[in-house]
Amino acid sequence: MRFSAWQLLKEGLTGNKGWGAHWRDPEPKPAYDVLIIGGGGHGLATAYYLAKEHGITNVAVLEKGYIGGGNVGRNTTIVRANYGLPGNSEFYSHSLKLWEGLEADLNYNVMHSQRGIINLFHSDGARDAAARRGNAMINQGDDAVLLDRDGVRAMLPYLDYENIRFPVYGGLYHARGGTARHDAVAWGFARGADQRGVDLIQNCEVTGIDVEQGRVTGVQTTRGAIKANKVAMVTAGRSGQVAAMAGMRLPIESHILQAFVTEGLKPCIDTVITFGMGHFYISQSDKGGLVFGGDLDFYASYAARGNLPQAEHVMEAAMTLMPMIGKARVLRSWGGIMDMSPDGSPIIDTTHIDGLFLNCGWCYGGFKAVPGSGNVTAHLIATGRPHEAATKYRLDRFATGIGLMDEEGTGSQHNLH
Amino acid sequence: MRITCPCCGPRDLREFSYRGAASDLDRPAADAPPEDWHAYLHLRDNPAGVTRDLWYHELGCASWLVVTRNTVTHEILSCEMARDVAREAAR
Ligand SMILES: Cc1cc2nc3c(=O)[nH]c(=O)nc-3n(C[C@H](O)[C@H](O)[C@H](O)COP(=O)(O)OP(=O)(O)OC[C@H]3O[C@@H](n4cnc5c(N)ncnc54)[C@H](O)[C@@H]3O)c2cc1C
Ligand SMILES: [Zn+2]
């Protein structure tokens, strides 16, 4: 099934009764060329690009729950390319370019909306850092504008400009940043992979990874053993556990991040705003809900819900930045489990086991990475060499200390990123 | 989550700050091989289930604590003085 204007019109006039399933529900075959563990955004995008760009279609994505039930459907949907460090800068730039062509490529409305992002700053030092970051972004070929206080006030008149502790000095504006509909991104990649022959196998938990003489030979699952000479571990917050099945210990600790959404409101916030000093960020969804969040709960957790102190902290920051938010009612909150790496940057690499690939450590920034990550991981699996946009995401950087990418300069403790 | 500090009794989570896995107490010798230092600094067991980690009772008695808890349910199973745990290990 593909979408067209004609189809939309026809379905609209006939009660939307003719839309079919977006992907098949196949039984697992005994063997594939490539197995991808994890049917989140990154796993589905990897499968899609393997089929589309490398012609490798005898592929299965193994998902223990349902497609899109993990972090790809739990995040706050911010898409941007405003990273400063070499390594991150070119990767997120590559990913944003893929986003910009994604809807046409997938023939799927992922509601990618380049509504812009403003990162506020509140001191002279932070202004200098924002200017330097903006220059790095421009050098990378992306866009950045340094706004002064009046420039921010013209765009965001509802912020509290009289705040004594964190007066708004200005903001770094990234016009090509914005948001996308998270579920639709998973569905679009799922459908695109399925159409090219990839088997998406849901309710199929990987319980073991088979290794013989240093080579991966397949996996054990709740739906039986499946053979393959190439296996990719793409399991977001569960990477530590999945890698343990192959006898690996990773530089990863899993933490929860909470998110909140209010009742639907008339359009009032037309961009993404980040308030780093208060650990708060916000945007408005196309349905009208204000979507916001803050920091991690700060301790290792696999509970897909958070604790109250962090919720309270986020609400306080919201009220500090934009007192008008106090009038909105919070509808829902939830948590997602994420891999936290010691430098806050991801890992996309081969492993010491032949044929076993690793994609992990996205911390709380991996949604914007979905197309880029799938694209470069597919390249790595198909060719055995890292894609040029992802040469720095090596696993050995922690052991050697060379090429660490601590974007925020917070140090080498997992929960600080 | 409430943590029962051996010194101060049950206290709100907000009084504590988290440091990471309790393996931080097992510091390698200064001349240990680089692999040991890498494992100590970066690699984690990261269990979904019972784990032991280090917390600091920042807004209380300022003790370092080893908390045994379940990362899936958030249940806290025990809480000991890190000092005692380290002494016990050194014996
Ligand atoms: C609250 C919150 C807000 C966020 N906000 C943003 C944001 O605004 N912008 C941004 O860029 N990023 C954001 N992120 C981060 C982003 O969501 C993640 O980095 C990204 O979604 C992770 O990749 P994924 O989509 O592949 O993960 P997932 O969707 O979690 O996919 C992993 C899949 O692996 C499956 N799996 C695990 N173990 C097994 C197994 N043994 N066998 C089979 N399958 C298994 C899981 O069921 C899951 O479906 C946020 C995260 C959270 C939690
Ligand atoms: Zn105490």
Side-chain angles (χ1 to χ4, degrees), chain A residues 88 341 343-347 360-363 393 397-398 405-407:
Chain A
N88 281 333
S341 64
D343 67 354
S345 292
I347 301 160
C360 70
W362 292 97
C363 300
Y393 289 159
R397 69 180 187 269
F398 301 100
M405 275 173 282
D406 181 356
E407 189 75 35

Side-chain angles (χ1 to χ4, degrees), chain A residues 86-366:
Chain A
N88 281 333
S89 185
E90 58 264 35
F91 171 78
Y92 287 99
S93 180
H94 175 62
S95 195
L96 184 56
K97 287 185 195 109
L98 290 170
W99 275 104
E100 288 172 333
L102 197 61
E103 289 172 345
D105 187 20
L106 294 175
N107 171 246
Y108 210 96
N109 182 7
V110 302
M111 295 163 73
H112 181 219
S113 159
Q114 293 181 295
R115 58 189 65 184
I117 290 184
I118 298 181
N119 297 153
L120 299 173
F121 49 80
H122 312 271
S123 67
D124 288 330
R127 179 196 285 119
D128 291 348
R132 188 165 65 233
R133 176 177 295 256
N135 287 337
M137 290 158 66
I138 290 167
N139 284 341
Q140 181 59 47
D142 295 316
D143 68 285
V145 177
L146 199 67
L147 299 174
D148 62 10
R149 179 183 166 96
D150 289 340
V152 174
R153 199 193 273 265
M155 292 178 75
L156 313 174
Y158 43 79
L159 301 187
D160 180 1
Y161 290 86
E162 311 313 321
N163 185 317
I164 293 166
R165 188 157 172 221
F166 298 125
V168 176
Y169 273 41
L172 185 63
Y173 180 51
H174 171 40
R176 281 166 66 228
T179 59
R181 169 84 196 270
H182 45 9
D183 302 306
V185 173
W187 300 335
F189 275 114
R191 192 190 60 151
D194 173 86
Q195 282 173 344
R196 285 168 173 77
V198 172
D199 283 358
L200 307 179
I201 300 172
Q202 307 185 63
N203 297 311
C204 182
E205 179 171 356
V206 171
T207 53
I209 297 179
D210 301 328
V211 179
E212 283 168 27
Q213 285 154 8
R215 272 209 66 87
V216 72
T217 58
V219 301
Q220 302 294 322
T221 80
T222 49
R223 296 175 68 175
I226 308 177
K227 296 227 160 292
N229 289 329
K230 290 184 176 179
V231 175
M233 304 183 282
V234 195
T235 49
R238 297 272 171 180
S239 305
Q241 293 181 299
V242 173
M245 294 175 197
M248 292 175 69
R249 269 177 104 215
L250 295 182
I252 296 286
E253 214 177 71
S254 296
H255 285 250
I256 350 168
L257 182 68
Q258 302 191 55
F260 307 85
V261 64
T262 70
E263 59 193 330
L265 303 169
K266 287 187 176 172
C268 55
I269 298 180
D270 62 358
T271 183
V272 182
I273 306 165
T274 76
F275 172 36
M277 295 309 292
H279 304 298
F280 176 75
Y281 59 94
I282 187 165
S283 66
Q284 186 166 21
S285 82
D286 292 355
K287 273 195 292 189
L290 304 182
V291 181
F292 57 94
D295 251 324
L296 308 182
D297 276 24
F298 284 122
Y299 45 87
S301 171
Y302 283 92
R305 59 183 162 76
N307 262 312
L308 209 49
Q310 195 57 259
E312 203 176 71
H313 178 79
V314 171
M315 302 300 161
E316 278 171 3
M319 290 296 291
T320 303
L321 183 68
M322 47 176 76
M324 73 169 187
I325 202 174
K327 292 189 177 165
R329 275 174 294 201
V330 175
L331 209 58
R332 286 179 282 128
S333 73
W334 63 91
I337 308 160
M338 305 143 326
D339 285 351
M340 300 303 296
S341 64
D343 67 354
S345 292
I347 301 160
I348 303 177
D349 207 349
T350 53
T351 65
H352 68 285
I353 298 170
D354 268 356
L356 186 66
F357 301 86
L358 181 62
N359 174 314
C360 70
W362 292 97
C363 300
Y364 49 77

Side-chain angles (χ1 to χ4, degrees), chain B residues 5-9 11 15-16 57 60-63 65 81:
Chain B
C5 170
C7 179
C8 314
R11 293 300 183 98
E15 292 189 6
F16 301 84
H57 197 180
C61 61
S63 297
L65 306 169
M81 289 294 203

